[in-house]
Amino acid sequence: MKKKTLACVMSAAVLSAMCLVGVSGCGAKQVAATVEGTEIAEETITNDIQNMRASNDLEDEEAWKEYLTQNGYTVESLREEAIDAYVKKELIKKAAAENEVTVEDSSVQAMVDQMKANYEDDKAWQQALSSANMTEDQYKDNIRASMLQQSLMEKVIKEEEPSKDDLLMYAKIYSSYSWDGAKKSSHILFDASDEKTAKDVLKQINDGKIGFAKAAKKYSKDTGSAEDGGNVGWDCLNSFVSEYTDALDKLKKDQVSDLVKSQYGFHIIKCTDVYNAPKELTKVSQLPDEMVDFLKNQVSSYNRESKFEEWLEKYKEEASVEIADMPEDLPYYVALEEDSADEAGDEDADDAAAAGDGETGADETADGSAEKADSKEESK
């Protein structure tokens, strides 16, 4: 990624307004790339990079330089990467149309509503969008693009079962580094206002008057897990609130917790299993079934995405794509140390070349004088 510092007197909004009313001196917009006749504005690329900087507190020039250097970017390569994302987005639209792949507005809205449901109210949702320097319409566009890509991938790339070798390779990695000591659990959830019932049910469980699974089916407000005896699966494959995780960490297999209060209410938690990784994993069947299913989905998804990237690259090679040279004085531009070193090296090379040319000229003059001297001797 690359960056330059540009002091802009006018805001982009003011400049656009002036152009719309036909103020003289307003030139055509700068184009970063053209994809099958569709132009990608340089301003679009600049805005994306500037928004990324703002979101990551990289507006300070030194912090920006450090980020670029540490991540192996130059201003040019950063711009190229940003442009490439838009190029692929346009090509996916074209390929989707060719393959009769569409995304319904209702599906996009459902995804947006699902995300919004994670926030307390619309104000909190709008604040989250603002912190990401994004409007809700822009978020919808991103969701649509993601869904379109997923649908296109499913159309052009056939899903295949992962090989046993691939599964075993990933199983060894997860088993040793992520899953060793993982715990499986079930819970019974009560409303925050119903602590009395929660205490009574806990006492019945501890006294052996009711089984945990039966109590979950009868009392739990988490209807999704209640029918399965309160089963919520392995902690390494799911995300739980911190209060739940902290309580589960203290439980051994078959132990039941005291009441645990979280934002969802009161939980009674039972640790139903613990996974201890073997010293040597030689076959996938040594893992619990849920972990095997997770691996199959992950590896299959990874392989499919890799094949789709290869497919998209070939599609891109056959498409008409033109990338414009990077303009001067982009607002995200900064001179990196390697740029300065390259410039200094170029200057030294120029000086050396000039000196070399001088030496060659002197040699030629000397040779010419010698030839003239020889001619004079012969004439004598």
Side-chain angles (χ1 to χ4, degrees):
M1 293 189 173
K2 293 189 172 184
K3 143 193 176 179
K4 277 194 177 181
T5 336
L6 172 68
C8 231
V9 180
M10 286 184 192
S11 69
V14 174
L15 183 57
S16 298
M18 291 172 66
C19 289
L20 286 173
V21 296
V23 176
S24 61
C26 252
K29 69 176 181 180
Q30 287 183 304
V31 176
T34 305
V35 187
E36 293 288 333
T38 299
E39 294 180 344
I40 300 170
E42 191 72 53
E43 182 183 13
T44 300
I45 303 302
T46 296
N47 288 343
D48 274 10
I49 293 175
Q50 291 292 74
N51 286 341
M52 183 274 286
R53 289 181 63 189
S55 298
N56 292 280
D57 296 323
L58 296 171
E59 293 171 297
D60 176 74
E61 186 168 296
E62 290 305 315
W64 182 231
K65 284 183 180 180
E66 183 178 356
Y67 170 84
L68 294 172
T69 302
Q70 288 183 348
N71 289 278
Y73 281 117
T74 62
V75 180
E76 289 79 14
S77 66
L78 175 58
R79 174 178 176 268
E80 288 168 5
E81 186 174 283
I83 290 174
D84 190 59
Y86 277 92
V87 168
K88 287 182 177 178
K89 187 175 180 180
E90 290 299 325
L91 291 177
I92 286 170
K93 287 181 184 178
K94 182 174 181 290
E98 291 172 354
N99 288 274
E100 299 181 341
V101 173
T102 59
V103 173
E104 297 296 329
D105 291 343
S106 57
S107 299
V108 175
Q109 189 59 51
M111 287 290 290
V112 174
D113 291 341
Q114 182 179 333
M115 180 58 69
K116 288 174 71 172
N118 294 318
Y119 295 86
E120 185 176 353
D121 51 32
D122 187 63
K123 183 179 179 181
W125 164 244
Q126 294 300 329
Q127 286 177 342
L129 289 171
S130 179
S131 65
N133 293 302
M134 185 179 294
T135 65
E136 186 164 318
D137 284 341
Q138 289 173 323
Y139 182 74
K140 283 183 180 180
D141 286 343
N142 288 342
I143 292 294
R144 182 182 299 278
S146 177
M147 294 178 73
L148 192 65
Q149 177 173 323
Q150 182 66 29
S151 298
L152 177 62
M153 180 174 67
E154 292 170 0
K155 183 72 178 285
V156 300
I157 304 297
K158 183 181 178 182
E159 185 173 12
E160 298 178 355
E161 282 286 321
S163 69
K164 291 182 179 180
D165 288 341
D166 280 351
L167 281 178
L168 184 58
M169 178 182 71
Y170 282 100
K172 288 179 178 179
I173 295 172
Y174 277 101
S175 176
S176 300
Y177 297 101
S178 302
W179 291 346
D180 189 24
K183 293 182 178 181
K184 185 178 181 181
S185 63
S186 296
H187 82 143
I188 307 170
L189 179 65
F190 302 86
D191 289 334
S193 59
D194 202 11
E195 185 177 2
K196 183 177 182 302
T197 302
K199 287 181 176 179
D200 180 60
V201 173
L202 177 60
K203 187 175 187 306
Q204 289 184 57
I205 292 172
N206 289 335
D207 290 345
K209 293 181 179 180
I210 188 172
F212 193 96
K214 185 176 180 180
K217 291 181 179 180
K218 184 176 181 179
Y219 295 103
S220 184
K221 298 298 180 181
D222 180 4
T223 55
S225 66
E227 287 304 310
D228 192 20
N231 174 38
V232 292
W234 294 89
D235 57 358
C236 61
L237 304 180
N238 297 281
S239 297
F240 303 122
V241 291
S242 58
E243 295 89 347
Y244 189 103
T245 301
D246 292 343
L248 179 59
D249 285 344
K250 299 173 184 176
L251 299 177
K252 295 180 180 179
K253 184 177 178 180
D254 295 327
Q255 282 189 327
V256 176
S257 71
D258 290 328
L259 294 189
V260 177
K261 189 174 182 180
S262 77
Q263 66 193 73
Y264 299 104
F266 288 99
H267 307 259
I268 300 175
I269 304 169
K270 181 177 181 179
C271 176
T272 57
D273 204 353
V274 178
Y275 174 71
N276 295 306
K279 290 183 178 180
E280 183 180 3
L281 190 75
T282 57
K283 49 188 178 180
V284 177
S285 59
Q286 290 174 267
L287 295 170
D289 290 342
E290 298 94 332
M291 293 183 185
V292 174
D293 290 340
F294 172 85
L295 277 178
K296 286 181 178 178
N297 289 332
Q298 289 293 103
V299 176
S300 178
S301 177
Y302 173 77
N303 289 342
R304 198 174 195 181
E305 288 172 3
S306 296
K307 289 181 180 179
F308 179 71
E309 281 298 318
E310 293 174 4
W311 179 89
L312 188 57
E313 279 301 318
K314 290 181 180 178
Y315 188 84
K316 180 181 173 183
E317 289 173 4
E318 297 172 0
S320 174
V321 179
E322 297 178 9
I323 309 297
D325 292 337
M326 189 176 78
E328 297 290 332
D329 298 325
L330 288 170
Y332 56 87
Y333 179 82
V334 284
L336 301 178
E337 289 183 8
E338 62 182 51
D339 295 335
S340 301
D342 289 343
E343 289 173 5
D346 291 340
E347 289 177 3
D348 291 342
D350 291 341
D351 291 342
D357 289 343
E359 290 172 4
T360 303
D363 290 341
E364 289 176 352
T365 303
D367 291 341
S369 300
E371 289 176 2
K372 289 178 180 178
D374 290 340
S375 298
K376 290 180 179 178
E377 288 294 329
E378 289 174 2
S379 62
K380 287 180 181 179

